[in-house]
Amino acid sequence: MRTADLEKVILAVNVCGHELEVLRVRSGREEAPELVFLHEGLGSVSHWKDFPARVAEATGCPVTVYSRYGSGRSDLLSRPHGVRYMHEEALQSLPDLLSQLEIENPILVGHSDGASIAIIYAGVHDRVRGLVLLAPHVFVEDLSVASIAEARVKFETTNLPEKLARHHRDAARTFWGWNDIWLDPEFRSWNIEECLPRVKCPALVIQGLEDQYGTMAQVEAIQRQSGGPVEVLALEDCRHSPQRDQPEKVLEAIRNFV
């Protein structure tokens, strides 16, 4: 089945009191595990572009992609993010969404913030089949803070707002919601390494060696502390979005992992 032939349905689902944008991609493979995509801090359903559909085609698995509260075409943030916003997503919103969509034993595919959310969720729920972690964060690095501060300058001085407006209802509110909390001094102590020993499912970690937001120290922490088997793919000529910079290698790795 070609990507263009896959059945795609856009839904609006009320999760924890907020209407969220959800894309479901159906496959013809019966009894296949569902892959649930969790986007980066400034991501959304449309920001993934055709990558989820390509994964559905490559694996034969159904795929669900959604925009978190405050992102994409989902409801806009009504208050700033707190330090535990990823915990809130993993422990409240994601379980509610999966329950409503009747998704059991998913494989979570998370990018950046989404990968962190996947780790937190898997540390609590033992029914996760596996994790695909693209450029994950388990603690805050100086590099991350410096690059996020640089992103603030770009948002104020370049056409970045126009680029983000293609993917979000309110690009400014989405950007500042993400940027402000990561640059909040209280966020420097954010750390989810305690979740790793409770993650028992297999994990595939994909990291760009030129990632401007994180280093291999994140990957090494996951390898060292995870309670389940961890496979690592480190990619050269790759920055913070492996699925964009090295899509074919990432697709092959995910297909083999699934």
Side-chain angles (χ1 to χ4, degrees):
M1 180 177 290
R2 296 178 298 116
T3 300
D5 296 330
L6 292 168
E7 179 186 352
K8 302 172 186 176
V9 179
I10 293 284
L11 307 171
V13 181
N14 192 289
V15 174
C16 296
H18 307 294
E19 190 170 276
L20 303 187
E21 171 192 27
V22 178
L23 167 67
R24 306 200 79 180
V25 182
R26 304 294 87 194
S27 76
R29 182 179 160 199
E30 295 184 5
E31 305 303 323
E34 184 120 4
L35 277 60
V36 177
F37 281 67
L38 308 171
H39 62 74
E40 62 173 301
L42 294 178
S44 65
V45 167
S46 65
H47 197 255
W48 284 106
K49 299 186 177 179
D50 67 344
F51 185 72
R54 294 187 69 189
V55 171
E57 178 188 27
T59 62
C61 294
V63 162
T64 290
V65 192
Y66 75 102
S67 297
R68 294 194 294 275
Y69 171 46
S71 299
R73 306 303 164 196
S74 296
D75 280 351
L76 299 175
L77 289 176
S78 60
R79 58 181 176 82
H81 282 311
V83 172
R84 288 180 58 83
Y85 77 98
M86 285 183 270
H87 285 77
E88 292 172 0
E89 182 68 28
L91 303 178
Q92 299 173 28
S93 299
L94 182 56
D96 188 8
L97 178 68
L98 296 179
S99 176
Q100 291 195 54
L101 298 180
E102 298 182 341
I103 299 174
E104 298 182 355
N105 307 106
I107 295 176
L108 301 180
V109 182
H111 176 212
S112 191
D113 281 17
S116 304
I117 291 165
I119 290 169
I120 298 168
Y121 180 90
V124 174
H125 298 272
D126 59 6
R127 300 177 71 182
V128 180
R129 295 273 296 265
L131 300 178
V132 177
L133 307 174
L134 304 164
H137 303 286
V138 293
F139 53 85
V140 179
E141 295 183 87
D142 291 341
L143 175 66
S144 307
V145 175
S147 292
I148 291 170
E150 183 180 339
R152 176 184 291 248
V153 174
K154 289 181 178 178
F155 190 83
E156 294 174 332
T157 61
T158 72
N159 66 342
L160 180 57
E162 288 77 14
K163 291 181 178 179
L164 290 177
R166 301 169 193 166
H167 303 290
H168 302 285
R169 288 176 58 190
D170 187 329
R173 194 180 302 191
T174 298
F175 178 83
W176 294 118
W178 164 78
N179 194 267
D180 284 347
I181 188 58
W182 270 88
L183 295 181
D184 189 314
E186 290 188 15
F187 198 75
R188 290 305 296 264
S189 61
W190 177 87
N191 188 302
I192 60 168
E193 289 177 278
E194 66 177 9
C195 299
L196 293 170
R198 300 194 296 270
V199 176
K200 304 301 182 183
C201 63
L204 167 64
V205 184
I206 302 177
Q207 177 71 30
L209 293 176
E210 285 79 45
D211 189 339
Q212 69 273 34
Y213 288 104
T215 71
M216 287 296 291
Q218 306 283 344
V219 178
E220 291 161 2
I222 294 170
Q223 281 184 299
R224 185 174 62 252
Q225 299 177 69
S226 180
V230 177
E231 176 184 348
V232 174
L233 175 62
L235 294 171
E236 297 181 350
D237 300 319
C238 183
R239 286 163 60 84
H240 189 58
S241 298
Q243 72 276 16
R244 293 186 181 180
D245 293 349
Q246 298 285 355
E248 300 307 323
K249 291 180 180 179
V250 173
L251 278 170
E252 180 181 7
I254 293 176
R255 181 173 59 246
N256 292 338
F257 178 74
V258 171

